[in-house]
Amino acid sequence: MLAVNGIFRDQHGRHLIPHGLNMVHKTSAELPWRKEDFAFARRIGSTLVRLGVIWAYLEPEPGKIDEEYVAQLRQCLDWAHQSQLSVYLDMHQDCYSYRVDDYGAKANSDALEWQAIADGLPHENPGSVWSDAYLQSPAVKRMFDNLWANREASDNMGLQDHYAFAWRELAGRLVDHPALVGYDLMNEPSPGSVGETVMARILLRGAIALFLNRGRLVHSLDEITNLWMDADERSILTDLLSNPSRFRRVIRAGRHRLHRAEKTMLAPFYEKVAGAIRDVDSARLIMTEPLTSEFMGMGSSLPRPKAAGRQSAWVPHVYDIVVDTDNEASFSGVRIAGIVSDHLRDAARRGEPCLIGEWGAFRIGFGNNRMAETHRELFEKNLLGDSYWCYEHDAPISLKSPYIRGLHRPVIGAAAGTVVRTSSSQAGVFNIEWEQDPCVTEPTVIYIPGGEISSEGAELEATEVYPEGAFYRLQASASRPDERQHVSVSFAHTAPA
């Protein structure tokens, strides 16, 4: 997978719109994935997997790489390749250390892995959502502060230097693998204690909006913070922020401070890590994300990593503010559309293709057809690649889930030219339009879920047939007057029992 003028293309020059799953195991160095997991991803139309790597498992002691852990990752790449899936590696973190739980107080300097220097501060999260710990936990904030300061580890080598070392060693060991297409340098980087000042500005502007629009007076920053952290009270603010222009005004209150953190902390870090990977791999994609707060729609000012060269990509996440809460009814497609628009603008400024690295998080009791269809429509409209969060080995995706049509959907595997338009409907019609490139000799490939296929504008040749759907080669037989190829495929979008 290559980055060419802001578009993903394969080695034949075909336009790629990657679609797939996250497969991230956080709780042990023993990976649960099996060949069947990658085969399932392919059967439901995936062309891509975002495979998680945990720094603490990769480098369990300073300067020591766990070769068995790397061997497991290579085995996963082998299985992915056998299922015709591309893989990008994601150095994954949530709240920095996996020895802290969501709300407890496990974090202390004696209990953490060596990379996580909390200076003995406690892990406390009085919030109603696990991610509130980024703002509430003294331990989590201090661990990130120490990373950004390149605090020395026990061997007198800086934490960032170790992080870059771990990436270089991993890339060097896997550089020959045909399934590997890129490196996502860090999952959802947090600004550490700087996040407090960012959120303070957002919440204060939220308090003003609360007074002006609901007549409710909040007397202090602590009071509005406690309102946001309380599950019942948070629903008041999420309802208030259902107005898209109000949402943007409130969220962007912290923009200036966050952009300064990008410039002083995140950009130099990405340059260091990208440079380390480029020491051993000059070809694959360097993939970067903005700071977590920017997933809410602030827009980023991050520059493209110079060390990456031309092969780089922008891989932000798309989550509405109701994710992981009980406020599903307040989900806003308009908010999501605004966030996607910001990500696309940032990618265009950077001259990179954009892929949504995470979206969804539709678990049991959360996620409905409206939410899933909103994401699908946005991805199709904007020709956006995506990797859904997430596939879990012990709780696999069910094709009976209410959100499944946002995930198990028609997909463009590769287009012999440049895709101009794509859309699919709940009624079961998939339209694709592309500008044919006469220099591309490989065919256009699509995935169609379900069965009972008919088409207009092309002959379909099934190349991979599964109970859940099939991949087809298209031999286009009709074009519009402007020479664009247009194909319409009708199908019965039914899932197996």
Side-chain angles (χ1 to χ4, degrees):
M1 192 162 72
L2 306 171
V4 182
N5 298 324
I7 291 175
F8 291 115
R9 295 193 183 274
D10 66 9
Q11 71 271 28
H12 305 293
R14 292 181 295 182
H15 187 173
L16 305 178
I17 303 179
H19 167 67
L21 306 171
N22 276 264
M23 298 176 72
V24 181
H25 182 65
K26 309 175 187 180
T27 55
S28 74
E30 184 176 350
L31 300 182
W33 316 121
R34 297 297 178 262
K35 182 178 182 179
E36 293 74 21
D37 300 311
F38 294 92
F40 173 79
R42 184 66 175 179
R43 293 203 312 270
I44 63 171
S46 298
T47 59
L48 182 75
V49 165
R50 182 178 185 241
L51 182 63
V53 180
I54 307 301
W55 181 19
Y57 304 150
L58 176 63
E59 189 185 3
E61 299 176 24
K64 179 181 179 181
I65 298 298
D66 186 334
E67 301 297 346
E68 174 57 31
Y69 189 66
V70 175
Q72 292 181 75
L73 294 169
R74 179 176 283 276
Q75 177 66 83
C76 289
L77 288 167
D78 289 344
W79 287 327
H81 187 57
Q82 291 166 21
S83 291
Q84 302 185 58
L85 294 165
S86 298
V87 174
Y88 69 107
L89 300 176
D90 151 46
M91 195 71 83
H92 204 88
Q93 69 78 35
D94 288 311
C95 296
Y96 198 99
S97 167
Y98 289 100
R99 293 187 181 176
V100 304
D101 61 11
D102 288 352
Y103 302 103
K106 292 183 180 179
N108 59 71
S109 57
D110 296 326
L112 297 172
E113 57 268 21
W114 65 267
Q115 299 98 329
I117 304 176
D119 296 322
L121 294 178
H123 173 56
E124 300 170 345
N125 181 16
S128 58
V129 179
W130 69 269
S131 55
D132 289 339
Y134 284 114
L135 300 171
Q136 294 289 296
S137 168
V140 171
K141 288 182 286 188
R142 180 62 60 85
M143 288 187 283
F144 271 104
D145 287 346
N146 284 328
L147 175 68
W148 302 133
N150 202 20
R151 173 85 169 264
E152 289 185 354
S154 58
D155 63 348
N156 299 320
M157 183 174 172
L159 290 173
Q160 290 190 25
D161 301 313
H162 270 292
Y163 193 93
F165 161 81
W167 259 125
R168 182 175 64 246
E169 294 301 304
L170 179 62
R173 284 161 171 77
L174 299 178
V175 67
D176 62 332
H177 205 287
L180 181 60
V181 296
Y183 310 98
D184 186 348
L185 302 191
M186 178 180 279
N187 177 70
E188 300 183 354
S190 167
S193 59
V194 171
E196 294 178 84
T197 63
V198 173
M199 198 63 182
R201 287 163 170 78
I202 294 172
L203 289 174
L204 286 172
R205 190 170 289 181
I208 295 171
L210 189 62
F211 175 72
L212 292 177
N213 294 277
R214 299 288 190 274
R216 179 170 176 176
L217 181 62
V218 177
H219 298 86
S220 67
L221 176 59
D222 285 343
E223 187 177 344
I224 188 68
T225 300
N226 291 335
L227 187 152
W228 179 252
M229 295 298 164
D230 182 88
D232 295 328
E233 296 278 29
R234 182 178 290 204
S235 64
I236 297 171
L237 281 177
T238 55
D239 287 341
L240 179 71
L241 298 177
S242 61
N243 179 291
S245 60
R246 186 184 302 138
F247 173 72
R248 292 179 79 83
R249 285 197 302 272
V250 170
I251 290 300
R252 294 195 171 196
R255 194 176 188 181
H256 177 73
R257 187 65 188 89
L258 205 63
H259 286 182
R260 194 182 339 155
E262 284 183 324
K263 180 179 179 180
T264 59
M265 299 189 305
L266 192 58
F269 170 74
Y270 278 160
E271 286 292 350
K272 178 177 290 190
V273 179
I277 292 173
R278 284 291 181 250
D279 287 343
V280 295
D281 187 343
S282 61
R284 288 173 179 80
L285 293 165
I286 299 293
M287 309 167 95
T288 54
E289 310 178 21
L291 290 166
T292 46
S293 300
E294 288 160 339
F295 295 152
M296 295 189 292
M298 288 190 197
S300 172
S301 67
L302 265 178
R304 179 177 181 166
K306 293 179 181 178
R310 300 180 65 85
Q311 292 307 305
S312 63
W314 190 234
V315 289
H317 301 173
V318 171
Y319 288 120
D320 192 20
I321 57 176
V322 301
V323 169
D324 288 327
T325 75
D326 295 326
N327 300 322
E328 182 176 297
S330 296
F331 170 80
S332 170
V334 176
R335 277 197 302 256
I336 288 290
I339 293 169
V340 167
S341 178
D342 280 335
H343 290 336
L344 288 169
R345 202 161 30 242
D346 291 334
R349 173 183 57 80
R350 293 162 60 98
E352 296 174 319
C354 184
L355 182 150
I356 302 304
E358 288 185 22
W359 68 279
F362 299 149
R363 309 291 181 84
I364 296 173
F366 184 82
N368 56 44
N369 186 56
R370 178 176 70 93
M371 299 168 78
E373 286 291 323
T374 297
H375 288 83
R376 176 193 59 75
E377 290 171 1
L378 282 169
F379 297 157
E380 291 178 345
K381 176 183 176 181
N382 294 289
L383 307 179
L384 264 173
D386 71 281
S387 43
Y388 173 81
W389 182 269
C390 67
Y391 178 88
E392 296 179 287
H393 187 257
D394 56 352
I397 293 164
S398 169
L399 297 189
K400 296 181 179 180
S401 299
Y403 58 82
I404 193 60
R405 291 196 182 184
L407 175 61
H408 183 223
R409 64 179 194 257
V411 172
I412 300 170
T418 299
V419 180
V420 176
R421 182 177 67 88
T422 179
S423 66
S424 63
S425 68
Q426 293 193 56
V429 178
F430 180 49
N431 290 288
I432 171 176
E433 195 171 314
W434 73 97
E435 295 176 346
Q436 185 78 20
D437 185 342
C439 297
V440 176
T441 57
E442 293 296 311
T444 293
V445 176
I446 63 173
Y447 172 85
I448 299 295
E452 300 181 24
I453 303 294
S454 64
S455 65
E456 295 181 9
E459 296 180 6
L460 274 61
E461 177 191 355
T463 57
E464 300 172 53
V465 179
Y466 306 108
E468 298 84 356
F471 284 87
Y472 297 88
R473 288 194 182 102
L474 300 186
Q475 297 298 331
S477 57
S479 63
R480 292 175 18 147
D482 58 8
E483 300 303 321
R484 290 179 179 175
Q485 302 293 331
H486 176 258
V487 175
S488 180
V489 181
S490 299
F491 60 97
H493 194 161
T494 55

